[in-house]
C-alpha cells in the first residue's frame, strides 16, 4: 500500500513507525508498506510470497535510485497497528515499510541522525559474504 505525503494512508503508515523512524521518515514523499500473502499449501506455510515480496521491494529500491530519488527500508514499525489502521485482511503480513523521496541535505537532520547519515559506512567484507569451495571458504576473486 502506498501513502503520499498528506493523504490518510501516509498518516497511518507513519503512525505505525517507531518514534526513531517517524522522526526522519515524516519528510519523505511516499511511505510504502510491503505486504506478503501468508499462503499455506496443504497446511504447509509457503516461503515463496515472502521471497517474492523482498524481490519486489528490491526492484522498487533500484527503480527509485535509477530515477535519482532515494529509498530507505525499515523494519521498525508495529505490524499490528499497521494492519489495523490500513484494514489489511487476515492472511497478509507487512514485512517492511519503505520511505521514498528526494535526498535532503544531512544538515537538516537533528544531530544524532545527522551523525549516522554522514558516518563512514562499514560493510561486511566480501570474503565473509561469498563462499565458493566450501561453506565458510571465501570465493576466490580476481584474475
Ligand atoms: C532488516 C532491516 C531492517 C531495517 N530497519 C530499519 C529501520 O527500522 N530504520 C532505519 O532507519 N533503518 C533500518 N534499516 C537500515 C536501512 O534500511 C539501511 O540499510 C541502512 O540505513 C544503511 O543505509 P546506507 O546504505 O545508506 O548505509 C534496516 C535494515 C535492514 C536490513
Amino acid at each position: 500500500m502506498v501513502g503520499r505525503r498528506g493523504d490518510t494512508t501516509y498518516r497511518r503508515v507513519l503512525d505505525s513507525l517507531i518514534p526513531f523512524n517517524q522522526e526522519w521518515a515524516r519528510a519523505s514523499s511516499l511511505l510504502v508498506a510491503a505486504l506478503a500473502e501468508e499462503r499455506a499449501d496443504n497446511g504447509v506455510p509457503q516461503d515463496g510470497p515472502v521471497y517474492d515480496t523482498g524481490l519486489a521491494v528490491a526492484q522498487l529500491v533500484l527503480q527509485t535510485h535509477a530515477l535519482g530519488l532515494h529509498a530507505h527500508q525499515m523494519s521498525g514499525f508495529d505490524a499490528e497497528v499497521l494492519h489495523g489502521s490500513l484494514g489489511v485482511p487476515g492472511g497478509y503480513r507487512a514485512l517492511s515499510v519503505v520511505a521514498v523521496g528526494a535526498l535532503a541535505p544531512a544538515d537538516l537532520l537533528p544531530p544524532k541522525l545527522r551523525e549516522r547519515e554522514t558516518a563512514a559506512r562499514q560493510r561486511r567484507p566480501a570474503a565473509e559474504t561469498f563462499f565458493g569451495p566450501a561453506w565458510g571458504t571465501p570465493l576466490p576473486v580476481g584474475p
Side-chain angles (χ1 to χ4, degrees), residues 18 20-21 24 72-76 116-117 121 123:
I18 59 171
F20 167 78
N21 284 331
W24 62 264
H72 190 138
Q73 301 169 71
M74 295 167 264
S75 64
R116 183 181 83 147
E117 183 63 20
R121 303 307 201 251
R123 305 295 192 204

Side-chain angles (χ1 to χ4, degrees), residues 32-111:
V32 181
L35 297 111
E37 191 185 358
E38 293 191 297
R39 208 180 56 229
D41 288 347
N42 298 324
V44 181
Q46 298 299 301
D47 293 334
V50 172
Y51 185 82
D52 291 344
T53 304
L55 283 175
V57 171
Q59 308 310 310
L60 172 80
V61 171
L62 288 173
Q63 183 62 27
T64 299
H65 285 249
L67 292 169
L69 299 168
H70 270 69
H72 190 138
Q73 301 169 71
M74 295 167 264
S75 64
F77 64 92
D78 186 323
E80 226 170 276
V81 168
L82 186 72
H83 291 185
S85 65
L86 293 180
V88 175
Y92 289 86
R93 179 159 59 99
L95 297 181
S96 71
V97 171
V98 189
V100 177
L103 190 65
D107 49 349
L108 294 181
L109 290 166

